[in-house]
Structures are given as C-alpha cells and as structure tokens.
Amino acid sequence: MEEGRPSGLGGLRNIVRQELVARQLDERIAARYAVGQRLRVLDVGPGLGIQALRLARAGHQVTCLESDPAVLAALWEALWAEPEGVRERVRLVEGDVRDTGAHFPPGAFDVVLCHGVLMYVTEPAPTLAGLARVLAPGGLLSLLVRNAEALAMRPGLAGDWDTALAAFDVTEYTNRLGLRVRADRLADLTATLTGVGVPLDTWYGVRLFTDQAADHEAVPGPERLARLLDAEDRAGRTDPYRAVAALLHLCAVRRV
C-alpha cells in the first residue's frame, strides 16, 4: 500500500522517504525504550518491508499485516534473502488494516507502523481506533500520511496552476499511480488520535526539497546524498518548512 511502490523503489524520492522515516522512528524508539530492548512491532501495509526488515535486523520481533497477495509474495521473497536469524523474527499475516482486531489481541504490540496506508482509507478514525487497540499502554504509533496542507505544492512548482488552485480546497488527489486517494490534515489527525487514546507526541515533515524528483531519478553519490538527507532531515524538524512537506510522520503514544 505504500504510495509509489510499484515504480521508483530505488529512486531518490523513495530513498529520501525511507531514510528520513528510519531516522525519525529510531529517535522516537530510543526516547521511549531502553537500549537493546526487543520490541514487538506491527507493520501494517509494509510494502516491500523496508522498515520491517530493518527493525528485524536490529533484533525486534516484527509482524507484517498485508492484504495484497502479490505484495505478500514479494515480501516472502525479500524475507528469504535475509539470514535465518532475521527470518525467524518476522511473521507475515494476510489481512486488512481495517481488521486488526480480528487478527491480534489488545495490547499485542509495543510499536505499530502504518506508513502510506491511511490515504487508501475513506474514514481514518475507525482504522486508528483499531491500531490503538492492539498497541500496548505506553506504546508508539508511527503514521506516515500525505499532507493535505501541501497538496498545492507539487502542481504549483510544476506550473500546473489549475490543479494547484483546486488543491487548496480539497483533501483528495491523484497519486503517481493514477489512483484517487485522500490526504490528511495535521489538526484533524491530532484530534482523532487524542479521541482514540493515542495522543500525538511528535511530528515531522518528510520530503520537502525532493518531492518533485522523477520516480526513477538517479541517487547522487554518497557525499552529496548525505548532505541532501541532512537538509531534508533539518527541514522536517523545522517550522515553517515541515508544515508544507509532502508527507507527515506522526508519532503518537498510547495512554498508560
């Protein structure tokens, strides 16, 4: 379910997204849990499992919930390329994000990831309530969503003025796969998260400077890439820049 995953997985846009989310997620995990603690992680809609496998390599027990059989098959393939110790820490479950309660008991996970999924859900509140239910008290919920406050940025920078003007008044948009999907506003999600008992703790912007890059734009060399990522990282933590990033990374904590 990750936006843009069938194309450009190795391109600059996805590299920036995955690296920034990894940095931010590791920062929030370190802030909440002891060094070396093995966590129970649920990754809902994991795509090709980039974050899931990264966390499994770090020693965590990871469950992936995915509804698309083709994506599950690709996940199995990626998993079998990992060492046995990593494979043993990953469980793949076929199921929909809207049915987490049917698959897992309350409080089953310390960390729940839901990245690039809410854009495909018409009503986010029931989905977030389900994710909150399977999160342990004090646990961390990591959401990556399309930023509705920035929908005019991409067409505006491309000179598509009609689309840019229309984007100010809507929360729906057509993604790079040609699908009509939904974006979220920070204020709305903050209120919803509070309502389901998982209030927002910290939020970041993701992909401000590189969102216009083509799907297959080449990744620069290591030194230039490192500077680019540092600039994106800084922007994602700094007002007013983070407010108009293409994506929002919200980290919320379930009430104890």
Side-chain angles (χ1 to χ4, degrees):
M1 285 185 170
E2 293 187 6
E3 182 185 16
R5 73 183 175 205
S7 61
L9 272 176
L12 179 63
R13 294 173 76 253
N14 198 59
I15 292 293
V16 170
R17 166 185 161 160
Q18 298 293 353
E19 175 61 25
L20 291 183
V21 169
R23 291 185 185 188
Q24 295 157 2
L25 183 58
D26 286 351
E27 180 177 279
R28 301 325 305 162
I29 288 175
R32 298 207 59 78
Y33 298 103
V35 175
Q37 183 174 346
R38 303 309 187 200
L39 302 174
R40 302 164 298 164
V41 179
L42 172 64
D43 191 350
V44 175
L48 293 185
I50 293 173
Q51 297 298 333
L53 292 176
R54 186 182 68 82
L55 291 169
R57 294 183 198 114
H60 304 300
Q61 296 289 333
V62 181
T63 299
C64 296
L65 181 67
E66 174 58 57
S67 61
D68 188 333
V71 175
L72 275 175
L75 272 170
W76 275 113
E77 185 176 347
L79 186 57
W80 279 101
E82 296 290 326
E84 182 179 358
V86 174
R87 293 200 304 269
E88 291 174 347
R89 290 192 288 273
V90 179
R91 179 165 67 116
L92 306 185
V93 177
E94 185 171 359
D96 193 276
V97 62
R98 292 164 290 194
D99 301 321
T100 51
H103 297 284
F104 313 110
F109 299 99
D110 305 301
V111 178
V112 173
L113 314 182
C114 183
H115 296 165
V117 174
L118 282 189
M119 59 189 64
Y120 297 96
V121 176
T122 304
E123 295 291 340
T127 296
L128 292 175
L131 297 180
R133 180 178 177 274
V134 300
L135 192 62
L140 176 67
L141 174 61
S142 171
L143 299 175
L144 189 69
V145 303
R146 185 73 164 89
N147 182 11
E149 303 291 5
L151 288 181
M153 291 291 289
R154 189 183 295 169
L157 291 172
D160 182 354
W161 306 120
D162 289 339
T163 302
L165 285 167
F168 286 104
D169 302 314
V170 299
T171 56
E172 288 190 350
Y173 70 104
T174 301
N175 68 9
R176 293 195 176 200
L177 305 180
L179 301 175
R180 288 297 292 175
V181 290
R182 191 185 54 77
D184 286 287
R185 300 187 190 280
L186 178 63
D188 294 340
L189 279 182
T190 299
T192 301
L193 288 168
T194 299
V196 300
V198 189
L200 181 65
D201 181 58
T202 304
W203 68 278
Y204 308 88
V206 174
R207 211 167 58 210
L208 178 69
F209 303 127
T210 53
D211 192 55
Q212 288 294 106
D215 286 340
H216 295 285
E217 182 164 329
V219 178
E223 184 175 344
R224 184 172 177 80
L225 177 61
R227 297 295 289 167
L228 182 158
L229 290 170
D230 286 345
E232 286 275 12
D233 187 37
R234 180 73 177 271
R237 301 167 183 272
T238 305
D239 292 322
Y241 303 102
R242 64 176 181 164
V244 291
L247 306 170
L248 299 178
H249 183 197
L250 286 70
C251 296
V253 176
R254 182 177 172 182
R255 294 192 184 100
V256 176

